[in-house]
Amino acid sequence: MISSITDVAGIEVGHCTDARRPTGCTVVLARGSAVAGVDVRGAAPGTRETDLLHPAHTVERVHAVLLSGGSAWGLDAAGGVMRWLDEQGIGLEVGPARVPLVPAAVLFDLPVGDHRIRPDAAAGYAACQAASRQAPQEGNVGAGAGATVGKVFGLQRAMKGGIGTASITVDGVTVGAIVACNALGDVIDPDTGAVLAGARSADGLHLLDARRALLRGEVARSVMAGTNTTIGVIATDAVITKAQAARLASVGHDGLARTINPAHTMFDGDTLFALGTGESGRSPGLLALATMAAEACALAVVRAVRAARGITVDGLQLPACGERA
């Protein structure tokens, strides 16, 4: 059985993938609302409503999180998520009004195909319409549709990234994660240390191992800040506070660091959200939840590249894990 973030009670996921070029968005819905936190670890993020999630700020709960391609343009898709939630009567009651709260993060996929095609409000709305408790598709879909990995030595030597999901259940409490991996660095198998997908040799036929290449003095190609980024959502059915949600988002980055190298660079905007639905009515304690969160994120990153499929767009060839260049 495939584990996924939708194993967490109260969580639904929907993708919208644009058939005109590899891009799209993914929504994680918590119709009953969820306690939320965030940790922005990369130096070049594209986000919305992250200040809302600071533990010292007033609002405790949100109704959805959006992950999107399209760089800053993709933040528009959150408006569509808000509109869909509003039509369902979901939102924070503020006097006579109801305001759906939808934090969001984006990744940079504009070089893959026609950059003028980006997720918009209609895409966010469509992702909500597609949302369900079923295990979501992985690989070249939603926010992972245009994702790439291993760009340290240029996009021409990169490989296809994607979106992946996983969950872990311990003693009746579940923690799940969904991650769209668009990293500058390579993706590593945390159990073996082997490179699964990443920068390729100059002839494109072999994996280079970017970490070792950098350490022996090979010069990285000039990279613009913000042109990468791994984004994701951690969710649990445990009972947690807003401060604990922020801590889960923080330790989730440990999972990214185990599976992406180099990670959290000045060229990435790595951002993780955490949601707590509380539907299990229990909590095993923050140490156990943190361990589960980091592990779920690591598994989701590996699944993202293993589920990806190679593409060729406008002469740019991006092979996937397990495929020859």
Side-chain angles (χ1 to χ4, degrees):
M1 179 178 176
I2 296 175
S3 68
S4 81
I5 192 172
T6 54
D7 295 332
V8 175
I11 294 296
E12 301 171 55
V13 172
H15 297 305
C16 177
T17 307
D18 198 318
R20 297 172 296 170
R21 88 161 178 96
T23 193
C25 62
T26 298
V27 66
V28 179
L29 293 177
R31 293 183 193 236
S33 78
V35 174
V38 69
D39 190 297
V40 181
R41 195 68 60 89
T47 59
R48 163 181 165 143
E49 295 277 42
T50 51
D51 283 350
L52 179 82
L53 304 182
H54 190 283
H57 293 174
T58 304
V59 173
E60 292 280 335
R61 307 178 75 89
V62 304
H63 307 96
V65 175
L66 175 78
L67 308 175
S68 182
S71 189
W73 296 102
L75 292 172
D76 281 350
V81 178
M82 289 186 69
R83 180 164 64 89
W84 186 88
L85 288 166
D86 186 45
E87 291 175 0
Q88 309 305 309
I90 298 170
L92 175 67
E93 292 188 7
V94 184
R98 183 182 290 107
V99 181
L101 299 176
V102 185
V106 295
L107 56 79
F108 185 87
D109 60 6
L110 300 182
V112 185
D114 186 347
H115 65 87
R116 295 168 295 182
I117 299 171
R118 287 100 47 161
D120 56 13
Y125 190 94
C128 291
Q129 288 181 307
S132 77
R133 291 293 312 278
Q134 299 298 312
Q137 287 184 280
E138 298 174 289
N140 301 18
V141 294
T148 51
V149 298
K151 290 160 279 188
V152 174
F153 300 101
L155 188 60
Q156 294 292 335
R157 292 167 64 179
M159 291 179 66
K160 187 71 183 69
I163 193 166
T165 184
S167 72
I168 297 169
T169 299
V170 176
D171 196 23
V173 171
T174 300
V175 176
I178 187 166
V179 177
C181 187
N182 187 57
L184 177 75
D186 297 342
V187 173
I188 311 298
D189 184 330
D191 292 327
T192 67
V195 178
L196 298 174
R200 292 175 288 150
S201 56
D203 62 10
L205 298 178
H206 308 285
L207 287 167
L208 186 61
D209 192 328
R211 176 180 67 92
R212 296 183 186 279
L214 290 169
L215 290 175
R216 63 175 173 258
E218 294 194 33
V219 179
R221 180 170 172 174
S222 178
V223 183
M224 291 178 59
T227 55
N228 305 281
T229 294
T230 296
I231 53 179
V233 180
I234 300 160
T236 181
D237 54 16
V239 177
I240 59 173
T241 66
K242 190 177 182 183
Q244 289 173 329
R247 175 53 56 183
L248 289 185
S250 179
V251 298
H253 283 279
D254 294 352
L256 302 191
R258 292 174 197 165
T259 51
I260 300 170
N261 199 328
H264 306 137
T265 76
M266 66 286 292
F267 307 112
D268 291 278
D270 300 336
T271 300
L272 290 177
F273 299 91
L275 302 175
T277 68
E279 293 207 12
S280 73
R282 308 174 56 199
S283 177
L286 195 57
L287 177 59
L289 290 174
T291 303
M292 294 163 72
E295 187 70 9
C297 285
L299 291 171
V301 171
V302 169
R303 292 263 290 261
V305 296
R306 283 186 165 152
R309 295 294 176 264
I311 61 172
T312 300
V313 180
D314 297 334
L316 174 65
Q317 186 180 29
L318 296 166
C321 177
E323 299 175 354
R324 290 184 62 86

